[in-house]
Amino acid sequence: MIFVCHESNIKKFLSVNKNKISYGQWIYLGTEYRKISFIAEKILSGSYKNVNYLFDKISKKLKNDFIELAASFVSEKSGLSWWTSNLSHKSGYTCGLLRDFILFFVFEEIVNSVYDKNMLVVVQSLPLYNVLYENFRRKINFYGQKEKVEKEGFCEIAQKRFSYVAQTIRRKAGSAHKAPDSPITLVMAWLNNSIAKKDNPFNVYYGGLPEFFQSASMDAMYLGYIWDYENYFKVKQNISARYRNVVFPEDYLTRADIFKSAFLPVLRQINLGKVIFSEYDLTSLFENYISDELANTHNSMCLSFYYVFKNLKRAGFKIEKFIYPFENQPWEKACVQGIRKFYPDCKIIAFKHTTVPQFMLAHFPSEREFISMPVPDKIVCCGKSSYNALYPYWSDKCRLENGPALRHSYLFKKDKLADKKNNDNKNVGAALSINIDENIEFLDVIIKTAKQVDIDFLVKFHPAVNNKILINQLKSANLNNVSVFEGSPDEFLKEICVMLFTATDLSVQAALSGIPVICYMPMAKLDMNPVNDKFIYTKVYGESSLCCAVKQALADKDKNLTVPSVTDYYNRTEKSSLLCFVN
């Protein structure tokens, strides 16, 4: 028999059923790993059942189904209110609906399995709990009725929207950049404090391209979007002092444009209607996430780019080419739409700057989406891996070219890759991601593994994350064989012989260096490895399997393991290949 409880009711449920029900196993459907130990302390019987592998398996099975389901809401009239939404983007990083959708069918799989003893299922997401209750209450024991999801009211939504307006107005400079007399190539550049400190911040995404523009006497300017909100003015001052060819989007927004960006997503709220999938009614789940977008001003930031191009045109900028890093993100679609409207003769070139993650689903649009989705004129891919991943979806929609790697060109320099044949170190490296809950679980599993083996672990934190919680987690463990590595990625790879990771581009570089890479898949983790993930030594889904994988990789490290070729993923950057950004 299966019992289902929302995590907010777990204390009450266990108190009511104390000494009445014993559990053979219990399952947690969610992403907050810290809740596992809390629940385990309250449940006196039964063992925790890890469903990480089941989630991964079902996510791969339902990937295309979710793409088609989201595409079913698209029409010829779908405008930027739709294309700047999280649902249209379908990213495994930001779309909580996608994760809950998959967890729904993980639960279905559990229900359809046979268990000898009672099982308790604890659900983190209240919208997920409610939709499970609606569809399974006649055959499963739920503790508590369907509960009301607390939503932000009109005042809270308005406050967040007005806060966005005030913040954007505050970022505007006193005067905008003077437009040059000649036509320009405008290049989109993402900036933060770390990038701004580099000798050439524009080489982070476009390594070698800025120098090529200079040698070809091309007038290039950069549209610098600063996504480091905490250091916004510091970064803007740094870049403005060093470069005269950078314009900032906020400087090309009128107050009226900012208000439109803030409130149009609310006024043109998306209406999905009834959502039926595989005979289940998922309407409440989808409606909940659509209503969440009313309080999320990320869509306003994306939408504002449309108005940026309107005002660049009014300011006298003559844009003949627009180049941007391609991920088919909402802001990209707003840029493309704005250029189509205000610069109809401008050539739009998207650059796929790295490999294609499996669950950034906007890379793989349904045919139906193309009836209204803004599309560039050309996509330049950085190598065979990204080209092959995009070809089935984009080849007949725009021009697709296999171009230079640019930002990954250093991988072709032998001195940049660690020579593992002559490396005698025995450290196991762990590269953490940008997701805090994911990192807490990953680090806990590493600590548990370190207690079982006589191996030294080097942990490298993600530079864009506040790691205070993780540092305290390590201090509490008080292990001599787990330490933090603070050097560069290149230095990190030279110190390790095996690398553990959950999601990072560094895994590809490590594999190309001959280092076995082990991917740990945390709770409800959508696979962000490249579509071509043959470079991975193995994937693991729990503490015991990670320990075994580390031991096996260390045993194999002196064997002649197959090392992937750089050219399987990236192309050399040569002068002839840079012409694809000109022609």
Side-chain angles (χ1 to χ4, degrees), residues 53-94:
Y53 173 76
L54 182 60
F55 180 89
D56 188 42
K57 183 183 79 170
I58 291 177
S59 69
K60 303 285 173 55
K61 177 183 174 183
L62 294 177
K63 176 181 172 180
N64 290 331
D65 290 327
F66 188 84
I67 291 172
E68 293 300 330
L69 180 58
S72 70
F73 308 126
V74 176
S75 71
E76 292 179 356
K77 296 181 179 180
S78 294
L80 286 179
S81 292
W82 167 256
W83 293 117
T84 55
S85 69
N86 264 332
L87 178 53
S88 76
H89 184 39
K90 308 177 290 292
S91 169
Y93 287 120
T94 59

Side-chain angles (χ1 to χ4, degrees), residues 514-525:
I515 301 171
V517 292
I518 298 172
C519 178
Y520 178 77
M521 298 295 290
M523 297 189 319
K525 165 69 177 177

